[in-house]
């Protein structure tokens, strides 16, 4: 495991978030949302800090983080790749697109490349069904994809 | 008490308003089965997540079946607890639970003592109609507790004990749906968590998901080794509970039969941790008086209150959660460790056996003792003062394995010299007992007067937090008592905030003290069992001629021959310890 470096600025920001919620236990989910916004993900250290600030056990915090799929303990890549698995994209071959991304990037869904450039995730319907199958890289939408086009997309960002 | 009339199984009955169907049914003698519900009345502990769905009943006018554990009764409610619809639903639920449960009952350590197994038997399950994926999870073995999550039925009792009662906060349900398990944070193993090994999770687990690390085979091997002198010590609370494993009524004292059984198991010396409990009082009591007198003379550097330190679950708790206060507890080692230290020095010399050829086994009502005896500070050149700590349950297994008819054994005595003890020592096994024993000795040492009455009723009972002021011949000594770590936390927070007015506090990690320890025969939610055990210990105390630790002739001899004086040089080395900061530091890197 790589050592996780948290900047003190961000930790101060997180503590301020906890304070803005009056350190209330019941605000755990809201605090986690904000924390993921600050850090991009929720490493163990961040959960430890939140547990202390809200005076709940860290096991409880982890219980909530591991329950909701929105929360992630893995850092996202510089260019997060999200593949739509909505019905339209699915029937138009999204699964083959996933396989190709996995092969090209050499990571699984939910993982990040070792250089921190790319991460891979799935999502449900981005409302661009006419362009199925659809992939998002950051905020940019790529439509009507074929497995062959995956390599080009990756190359665009790999520089 | 306001009451309402309801109809249960065609019987009109009057029950307390606001009672759940489960409680109301129990009041009128109708037993509704459940796997997750647990209620320890006297201790005010209740788990009712309505998770297992075994307790469903039919309520007239309601669309679906109602879980009895959380559904409140109302006036005129008509309930059926055993019609075909209810029975089918329960059996289906049970079969679904069993379809995701290992079927290795024959070799499971909970065999014969498992609530899921008994229920399958009661329900007459002969076939499981459902087949599907089975959840599997890695096994987790710590120095004291084994987690076998495959056997977990998600009743959440362990979580309740760990979080609500003990406030240790190690266990939580994590993940989602079929993947959900009860685990420490980040699914680390227990030995990488803040677990105190109090074992209360083990004590309430209905299945074999949480069990103790079993050392019975290691003990059998030691007993079979002719080059070893094997010595056993038994904790006070064991004698008040062991009989239950052999069908005796809770609260039956089996001190004599236990000594006889241990002798027949082949132990070379059958000694008593009670001896070391008397020794603990000499050391801890002296320390208390020393701190107290220095405080009274105006020495502000002296930390008061002094907290007892016999309970290893409690020691683990403050090392993890209140490390900044670790100078407040007494430095006295626990009786188990004092016994080991004295046996492998003083007694080893006496009988001319090297410590390497000695095996000290302790029988404890406790699982944290397994961890305690493995601590590095209690070893000499890698050789532990206490080699193995087995629970009351493990001793029962050992006796059964070696074909000993426990119930027919004669009553025998412990061996001398480390088997002799006073009544003060035996009450160590219940909440309030250690401090009462300390008061008996401290009073006489401080005032120089003889105590007329040694029974301190004001220190006894089952209330979670108790306090009393004892008159030391004009000097009022304020005593606090807490059992259950959640209550200990309350007293610690008071001390931290500078609001504590006690001179001395006794803390026991387990509800009830050692009688309710994580290594005791399972109470299956019946708190009257704890009360019966408590009563038994007080009756053993009352029956003793000597009831003050400092009057134990063998303790007097030990100081004369070997130790010198309490809290002296040798005591400091052998009978006292120091504590560690085990809190988790969040590493913040720039």
């Amino acid at each position: 495991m790589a050592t996780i470096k948290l900047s003190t600025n961000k930790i101060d920001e997180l503590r301020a978030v906890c304070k803005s919620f009056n350190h209330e236990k019941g605000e755990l989910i809201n605090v986690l949302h904000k924390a993921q916004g600050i850090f991009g993900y929720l490493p163990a250290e961040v959960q430890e800090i939140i547990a202390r600030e809200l005076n709940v056990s860290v096991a409880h915090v982890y219980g909530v983080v591991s329950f909701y799929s929105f929360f992630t303990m893995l850092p996202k890549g510089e260019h997060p790749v999200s593949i739509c698995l909505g019905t339209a994209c699915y029937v138009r071959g999204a699964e083959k697109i996933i396989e190709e991304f996995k092969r090209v990037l050499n990571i699984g869904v939910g993982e990040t490349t070792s250089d921190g450039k790319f991460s891979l995730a799935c999502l449900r319907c981005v409302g661009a069904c006419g362009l199925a199958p659809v992939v998002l890289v950051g905020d940019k939408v790529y439509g009507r994809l074929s497995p062959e086009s995956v390599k080009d997309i990756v190359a665009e960002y790999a520089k | 008490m306001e009451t309402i009339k309801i109809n249960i199984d065609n019987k009109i009955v009057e029950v307390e308003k606001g009672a759940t169907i489960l409680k109301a049914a129990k009041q009128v003698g109708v037993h509704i089965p459940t796997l997750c519900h647990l209620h320890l009345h006297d201790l005010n502990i209740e788990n009712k997540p309505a998770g297992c769905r075994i307790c469903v009943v039919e309520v007239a006018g309601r669309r679906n079946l109602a879980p009895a554990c959380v559904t409140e009764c109302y006036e005129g409610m008509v309930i059926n607890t055993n019609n075909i619809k209810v029975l089918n639903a329960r059996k289906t639920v049970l079969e679904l639970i069993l379809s995701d449960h290992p079927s290795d009952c024959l070799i499971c350590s909970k065999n014969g003592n498992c609530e899921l197994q008994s229920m399958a038997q009661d329900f007459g399950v002969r076939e499981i109609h459902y087949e599907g994926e089975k959840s599997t999870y890695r096994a987790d073995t710590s120095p004291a507790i084994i987690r076998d999550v495959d056997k977990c039925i998600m009743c959440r009792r362990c979580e309740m004990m760990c979080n609500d009662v003990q406030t240790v906060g190690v266990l939580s349900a994590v993940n989602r749906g079929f993947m959900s398990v009860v685990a420490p944070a980040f699914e680390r193993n227990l030995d990488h968590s803040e677990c105190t090994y109090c074992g209360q999770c083990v004590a309430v687990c209905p299945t074999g998901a949480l069990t103790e690390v079993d050392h019975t085979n290691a003990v059998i091997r030691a007993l079979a080794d002719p080059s070893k002198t094997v010595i056993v010590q038994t904790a006070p609370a064991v004698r008040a509970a062991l009989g239950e494993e052999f069908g005796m009524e809770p609260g039956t004292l089996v001190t004599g039969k236990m000594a006889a059984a241990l002798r027949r198991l082949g132990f070379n010396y059958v000694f008593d941790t009670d001896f070391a409990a008397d020794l603990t009082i000499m050391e801890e009591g002296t320390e208390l008086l020393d701190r107290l007198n220095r405080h009274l003379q105006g020495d502000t550097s002296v930390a008061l209150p002094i907290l007892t330190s016999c309970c290893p679950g409690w020691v683990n708790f403050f090392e993890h959660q209140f490390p900044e206060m670790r100078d407040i507890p007494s430095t006295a080692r626990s009786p188990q460790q004092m016994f080991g230290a004295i046996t492998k020095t003083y007694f080893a010399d006496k009988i001319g056996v090297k410590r390497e050829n000695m095996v000290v086994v302790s029988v404890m009502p406790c699982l944290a003792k397994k961890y305690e005896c493995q601590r590095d500070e209690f070893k000499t050149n890698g050789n532990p003062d206490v080699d193995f700590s087995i629970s009351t349950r493990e001793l029962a297994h050992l006796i059964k394995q070696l074909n000993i008819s426990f119930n027919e054994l004669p009553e025998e005595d412990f061996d001398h010299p480390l088997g002799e003890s006073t009544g003060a020592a035996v009450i160590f096994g219940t909440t309030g007992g250690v401090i009462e024993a300390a008061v008996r000795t401290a009073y006489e040492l401080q005032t120089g007067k003889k105590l007329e009455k040694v029974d301190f009723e004001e220190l006894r009972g089952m209330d979670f937090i108790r306090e009393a002021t004892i008159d030391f011949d004009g000097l009022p000594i304020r005593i606090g008592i807490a059992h259950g770590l959640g209550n200990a936390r309350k007293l610690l927070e008071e001390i931290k905030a500078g609001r504590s007015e006690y001179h001395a506090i006794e803390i026991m990690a387990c509800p009830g003290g050692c009688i309710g320890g994580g290594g005791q025969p399972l109470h299956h939610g019946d708190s009257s069992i704890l009360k019966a055990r408590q009563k038994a210990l007080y009756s053993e105390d009352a029956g003793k001629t000597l009831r003050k630790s400092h009057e134990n002739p063998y303790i007097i001899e030990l100081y004369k021959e070997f130790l010198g004086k309490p809290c002296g040089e040798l005591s400091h080395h052998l009978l006292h310890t120091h504590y560690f900061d085990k809190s988790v530091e969040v590493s913040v890197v720039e």
Side-chain angles (χ1 to χ4, degrees), chain B residues 224-292:
Chain B
D225 184 344
S227 71
K228 302 286 185 201
T229 300
V230 192
I231 295 166
V232 69
Q233 53 160 321
T234 59
V238 177
R239 66 209 66 195
L242 180 65
E244 292 165 32
E245 292 280 342
F246 299 93
M248 296 180 194
E249 280 298 308
T252 309
L253 276 171
V254 293
T255 319
K257 284 188 189 300
M258 178 176 71
L262 292 166
R263 205 159 276 127
R264 279 151 189 74
L265 285 171
F267 287 102
N268 301 94
Y269 294 92
V270 179
F271 287 148
D272 198 352
T273 314
D274 285 19
F275 172 84
D278 279 333
L279 188 56
T280 301
I281 288 302
M282 298 305 291
E283 294 294 327
E284 206 169 81
T286 305
E287 193 186 347
L288 162 69
L289 291 178
D290 173 58
R291 280 212 221 168
L292 183 69

Side-chain angles (χ1 to χ4, degrees), chain A residues 93-101 147 150:
Chain A
E95 213 159 5
K96 283 184 187 145
I97 306 287
I98 295 180
E99 288 310 315
E100 187 60 11
F101 268 109
V150 166

Side-chain angles (χ1 to χ4, degrees), chain B residues 523-538:
Chain B
H523 52 62
H524 296 292
D526 183 354
S527 51
S528 70
I529 292 176
L530 301 187
K531 284 194 157 170
R533 292 175 188 165
Q534 186 181 48
K535 212 172 143 197
L537 291 184
Y538 283 123

Side-chain angles (χ1 to χ4, degrees), chain A residues 110-128:
Chain A
E111 292 177 358
T112 302
T113 54
S114 54
D115 61 2
K117 281 238 171 215
F118 295 96
S119 56
L120 204 52
C122 295
L123 48 74
R124 302 280 160 182
C125 198
V126 292

Side-chain angles (χ1 to χ4, degrees), chain B residues 285-322:
Chain B
T286 305
E287 193 186 347
L288 162 69
L289 291 178
D290 173 58
R291 280 212 221 168
L292 183 69
N293 289 325
R294 275 161 53 203
H295 179 81
L296 291 173
Q297 284 154 17
D299 186 347
T300 48
S301 69
V302 182
L304 276 181
I306 186 171
L307 308 178
T308 58
S309 56
C310 318
C311 169
W314 150 237
V315 169
N316 292 338
F317 182 73
F318 73 71
E319 284 187 330
H320 280 295
Q321 311 227 3
F322 293 87

Side-chain angles (χ1 to χ4, degrees), chain B residues 467-495:
Chain B
E467 53 180 25
T469 303
I470 308 288
D471 178 15
F472 271 40
D473 201 24
L475 177 67
I477 299 295
R478 289 184 296 275
I479 308 270
I481 296 168
H483 56 120
L485 289 171
N487 304 299
R489 180 186 291 279
K490 287 179 196 155
L491 293 189
L492 281 172
E493 299 285 2
E494 267 181 25
I495 299 171

Side-chain angles (χ1 to χ4, degrees), chain A residues 56-134:
Chain A
V56 293
S57 76
V58 65
H60 177 66
V61 175
Y62 176 71
V64 173
V65 169
S66 64
F67 183 85
Y68 292 104
S69 56
F70 173 80
F71 295 128
T72 174
M73 284 184 65
L74 294 171
K76 275 194 181 165
E78 199 182 320
H79 307 292
V81 178
S82 308
I83 299 151
C84 180
L85 280 182
T87 313
C89 291
Y90 191 83
V91 296
R92 291 186 63 96
E95 213 159 5
K96 283 184 187 145
I97 306 287
I98 295 180
E99 288 310 315
E100 187 60 11
F101 268 109
K102 277 159 81 174
R103 198 185 63 79
V104 171
L105 297 174
N106 198 22
I107 54 171
V109 173
E111 292 177 358
T112 302
T113 54
S114 54
D115 61 2
K117 281 238 171 215
F118 295 96
S119 56
L120 204 52
C122 295
L123 48 74
R124 302 280 160 182
C125 198
V126 292
C129 306
L131 299 176
V134 169

